[in-house]
Amino acid sequence: MSAVFARLIASRLFWPIVMLLVLFAINLIAFPGFFAITIKDGHLFGSLIDILRNGAPTLIIAVGMTLVIATRGIDLSVGAVCAISGAVACSIILGSPDPANGATVAVAVTVALAISLVLGVWNGFLVAVLGIQPIIATLILMTAGRGMAMLITEGQILTVNSPPFKAMGSGFWFGVPIAVIIAAVVFAVAALLTRRTALGMLIESVGINPEASRQAGVRARGLLFAVYTFCAFCAAIAGLILTANQTAADANNTGLFLELDAILAVVIGGTSLAGGRYSLAGTLVGALVIQTLVTTVYTVGIPPIATMVFKAAVVAAVCLLQSPTTNQALAGFRRRLALRAGKGIAAS
Amino acid sequence: MSSIQATDLTGASLGTRVGSGIRSVLTSPKYGPVLVTAVLFAAVFVVGGIRYEGFFSGQVFLNLLVDNAYLIVLAVGMSFVILTGGIDLSVGAVVALSTIIAASLLQSGWSPGVVIPLILVLTSVLGLAVGLMIHVFQVQPFIATLAAMFLARGLCYVISKDSISITDPAFVALAVTRIPLGGGLSITPSVIIALVVVLVAVVVLHYTRLGRTVYALGGSEQSGRLMGLPVARTKVLVYVISGFCSGLAGVLFSFYTLSGYSLTAVGTELDAIAAVVIGGTLLTGGYGFVLGSVLGVLVLGVIQTLITFEGTLSSWWTKIFIGGLLLVFIILQKVLTARRR
């Protein structure tokens, strides 16, 4: 029994899941109908559905970010890529004679995604070929990217009126929000590609020791290109969902601070920023923790302006709980406890 | 004949020696990037002077200092952190927090003589907390300072959502005072404060044990520990220094804007990091100068000024230019340091 418990505590998912359950409990106390899911007009409604739907963009980016972080990298440019993809899609839809046409939207989405691939290759080039530190390499696109997005929108907020585009953000398919379906597909594709093939292991090996994996014949350069491109692609999808939800592209604010949320989701999920072993399931839990946190602030009635203080507290708590120092202290405490129990048995 | 040949030879060898000396200075990871930044700054200034009437004046240069005094202080603090191989993302939010604390306390009648030291103590304590989190709990600097950033921004909103203007006579006096330098040139008290901070930082980094330890930590933390250097104390202290500098930068910023606002200085941490990188400090730590960071700030400032003088360029070009400049510098650093190895 205690062995099972010890293994549970040692699991990297333990503290994030505890955090999620605590947040759920707080919500349930503040709002007894929290877990209720009802069907209205053939759509699913409820707090949990809202958490999933609003958390979808963060989750999508966090999935891409997980793979980048696993290679000992980081991608700060995802927020800017969100803004660019939204700006590109909206300007194409606005420029077309028939914004409501499905084909127009398809073209806009395809072009936006294609541009994101170029941006991802650019990041990959800086990191893999020029060997620039990832945090700085992506800082370039983070700074310049917002400028490019503003160049595309010419400093305006582009409002579009296109039902097919809007559906990406707030539509439903068989009662399930489309944003959630997209997130699920991205998550499943990433999980299958990296965990059902050797790809995930190769990515981890690059993160653990780039030099050793190169000598073992792993093509680190190609892998780095792939993860940065995938991450930018994920960011573009998230940007399209966000823009569709607001039906407007705002070059300044779309995806602002989203890179930080995504990195947090990954770290809360137990993937180390030092690279190596990663956990997509952990990232899922991390993204849910962050979104539930925001929801909790509203249900509990904490003034929304205090959200960031609350977020800081949770981030600090999770990081401190996961830190090696705390784990050692806890392990020492458990050992002493076990020792005392053992002595007690011996004495009686 | 032979003697002439001999002098020729020594002349040639002197020439090559000077040439290789220049090359080794330019390609050294220590001096190369700083020199390149200095050359670039001069070049941009000259280009501006040729293109625009009235650009090539002492006051335009001094205005760079006046407008960027707070950023210079921030970049100094950031240099300490980056020299140890860390990073501080919280500085922009701490600047905003300082301005809003200053504005709200002054509004409720506190004296500036109490408010300013209080802000500096508060931000230093926040830096201390971050430093302890990084050292004792081994949280990565990126995440620990991110949490501090959320905390500082959140506290801003809690204190006040609206912009509070500062009407305190002492603050207003400090904001509008111009110190004449003769010849129609003038600077603000903020510039003097910023320059004093730079001077102190240079002395600390190059003439004290703390400074040596900061460089040693950036070179190799493990070696530093084996050499018996006070690794723990130094690692925590650089974040305290960065916190203090952010607080001071916030005070200078509130002199500059005469208001406190929770949304102010968003993204300033990136400007500070960019200035440090452009100034030639390696992000892995160990190499770099505070004066380089000051040059980095001036380069950012002169680009802003150029775009203002150009007039027709929209403000978002600034971002694209800074991004492009960052790229050029990083590639340059890469090339310079790669040759060495």
Side-chain angles (χ1 to χ4, degrees):
Chain A
M1 178 66 203
S2 79
V4 173
F5 189 65
R7 264 186 61 196
L8 217 73
I9 282 195
S11 155
R12 287 189 296 177
L13 280 179
F14 180 73
W15 288 114
I17 288 180
V18 166
M19 190 58 82
L20 189 60
L21 292 180
V22 167
L23 286 173
F24 278 161
I26 294 173
N27 274 300
L28 197 60
I29 293 166
F31 172 55
F34 180 71
F35 284 117
I37 294 177
T38 53
I39 296 179
K40 276 185 205 161
D41 313 329
H43 304 330
L44 291 173
F45 273 99
S47 301
L48 287 179
I49 300 292
D50 280 347
I51 290 175
L52 284 177
R53 200 182 70 184
N54 295 331
T58 317
L59 175 64
I60 293 172
I61 295 182
V63 167
M65 189 72 81
T66 309
L67 299 183
V68 169
I69 287 178
T71 64
R72 207 186 273 184
I74 202 155
D75 190 348
L76 294 183
S77 68
V78 287
V81 174
C82 277
I84 292 177
S85 74
V88 168
C90 281
S91 62
I92 291 177
I93 293 174
L94 269 185
S96 77
D98 181 16
N101 191 336
T104 312
V105 174
V107 168
V109 168
T110 315
V111 172
L113 292 179
I115 288 179
S116 78
L117 291 181
V118 175
L119 296 173
V121 168
W122 164 253
N123 278 337
F125 173 75
L126 293 183
V127 174
V129 178
L130 297 184
I132 299 171
Q133 279 167 295
I135 187 171
I136 297 308
T138 53
L139 180 65
I140 295 170
L141 189 56
M142 181 188 188
T143 317
R146 292 246 169 236
M148 288 181 208
M150 286 215 241
L151 212 60
I152 295 167
T153 62
E154 287 163 347
Q156 311 278 315
I157 294 179
L158 302 180
T159 311
V160 292
N161 184 16
S162 162
F165 185 59
K166 195 180 173 205
M168 267 189 84
S170 45
F172 289 84
W173 196 56
F174 288 117
V176 184
I178 290 180
V180 176
I181 296 174
I182 298 175
V185 169
V186 169
F187 185 84
V189 166
L192 286 178
L193 265 183
T194 61
R195 287 308 187 200
R196 288 289 156 212
T197 67
L199 195 60
M201 196 191 66
L202 297 180
I203 289 174
E204 288 180 342
S205 81
V206 170
I208 292 166
N209 191 335
E211 186 54 31
S213 53
R214 193 188 62 80
Q215 292 190 357
V218 177
R219 289 182 52 200
R221 194 171 275 191
L223 280 176
L224 286 177
F225 264 110
V227 292
Y228 282 95
T229 311
F230 180 66
C231 189
F233 185 72
C234 289
I237 297 175
L240 290 175
I241 293 177
L242 285 171
T243 314
N245 212 4
Q246 295 166 344
T247 62
D250 180 351
N252 268 325
N253 295 316
T254 303
L256 193 63
F257 297 131
L258 205 56
E259 60 277 347
L260 300 181
D261 275 352
I263 295 168
L264 268 183
V266 176
V267 171
I268 290 177
T271 302
S272 161
L273 279 183
R277 286 184 63 195
Y278 68 91
S279 159
L280 284 173
T283 299
L284 174 64
V285 176
L288 288 179
V289 165
I290 290 177
Q291 194 54 48
T292 312
L293 199 67
V294 177
T295 312
T296 310
V297 168
Y298 288 105
T299 46
V300 175
I302 298 170
I305 49 171
T307 312
M308 285 190 110
V309 176
F310 199 55
K311 210 167 175 177
V314 172
V315 172
V318 172
C319 286
L320 294 186
L321 284 174
Q322 283 178 343
S323 100
T325 317
T326 317
N327 277 340
Q328 262 169 28
L330 274 179
F333 177 69
R334 273 204 304 276
R335 216 174 303 128
R336 274 201 303 281
L337 220 63
L339 215 66
R340 205 170 296 158
K343 269 185 195 157
I345 291 165
S348 67
Chain B
M1 178 75 189
S2 64
S3 74
I4 290 171
Q5 215 168 13
T7 35
D8 262 353
L9 265 179
T10 44
S13 74
L14 192 73
T16 32
R17 212 183 310 150
V18 168
S20 73
I22 289 173
R23 204 166 65 215
S24 77
V25 167
L26 270 181
T27 56
S28 90
K30 196 173 171 191
Y31 299 107
V34 188
L35 288 177
V36 171
T37 309
V39 169
L40 181 100
F41 175 68
V44 172
F45 214 74
V46 167
V47 167
I50 293 167
R51 284 200 64 170
Y52 311 108
E53 188 89 5
F55 187 90
F56 207 68
S57 74
Q59 194 55 51
V60 169
F61 176 75
L62 290 178
N63 279 345
L64 285 182
L65 294 175
V66 170
D67 295 337
N68 295 303
Y70 77 100
L71 194 54
I72 290 178
V73 176
L74 271 188
V76 167
M78 187 68 83
S79 303
F80 272 86
V81 174
I82 291 184
L83 278 175
T84 64
I87 198 146
D88 191 346
L89 295 181
S90 68
V91 295
V94 174
V95 165
L97 182 62
S98 313
T99 64
I100 208 148
I101 291 178
S104 65
L105 286 184
L106 289 171
Q107 196 184 34
S108 49
W110 290 48
S111 123
V114 181
V115 171
I116 294 175
L118 183 72
I119 288 173
L120 297 181
V121 170
L122 276 179
T123 54
S124 303
V125 169
L126 186 66
L128 178 69
V130 169
L132 289 177
M133 208 164 148
I134 290 168
H135 183 74
V136 179
F137 290 96
Q138 295 169 35
V139 179
Q140 283 128 337
F142 191 92
I143 297 298
T145 55
L146 186 61
M149 171 186 166
F150 284 148
L151 180 67
R153 260 309 153 203
L155 286 176
C156 286
Y157 294 129
V158 173
I159 294 172
S160 168
K161 260 172 90 176
D162 306 314
S163 174
I164 309 172
S165 61
I166 296 175
T167 51
D168 181 86
F171 261 66
V172 174
L174 274 169
V176 298
T177 304
R178 284 274 176 168
I179 301 164
L181 294 178
L185 305 177
S186 63
I187 51 171
T188 54
S190 302
V191 175
I192 294 181
I193 296 174
L195 292 180
V196 168
V197 170
V198 171
L199 199 68
V200 171
V202 169
V203 171
V204 167
L205 272 179
H206 295 287
Y207 298 101
T208 65
R209 282 187 193 173
L210 172 66
R212 295 283 95 199
T213 316
V214 166
Y215 277 103
L217 270 188
S220 165
E221 193 180 326
Q222 188 67 25
S223 309
R225 191 167 289 139
L226 292 173
M227 281 164 73
L229 295 175
V231 170
R233 198 174 65 202
T234 312
K235 218 169 151 189
V236 175
L237 208 53
V238 290
Y239 290 94
V240 177
I241 291 171
S242 181
F244 176 86
C245 284
S246 312
L248 188 59
V251 172
L252 296 186
F253 197 71
S254 60
F255 290 160
Y256 187 64
T257 59
L258 277 185
S259 66
Y261 183 37
S262 51
L263 271 177
T264 198
V266 169
T268 308
E269 56 277 353
L270 298 177
D271 287 345
I273 295 171
V276 173
V277 171
I278 292 175
T281 302
L282 289 194
L283 273 144
T284 39
Y287 291 110
F289 300 101
V290 165
L291 285 178
S293 305
V294 175
L295 262 180
V297 172
L298 293 181
V299 167
L300 292 185
V302 86
I303 289 172
Q304 202 97 31
T305 315
L306 264 185
I307 285 170
T308 320
F309 266 78
E310 181 69 41
T312 55
L313 282 180
S314 314
S315 65
W316 51 80
W317 277 104
T318 318
K319 290 184 176 180
I320 298 179
F321 270 128
I322 291 176
L325 203 65
L326 260 177
L327 176 69
V328 169
F329 269 85
I330 290 154
I331 292 178
L332 207 68
Q333 284 191 2
K334 204 74 210 169
V335 170
L336 292 179
T337 50
R339 264 215 190 146
R340 262 297 163 103
R341 280 174 198 149

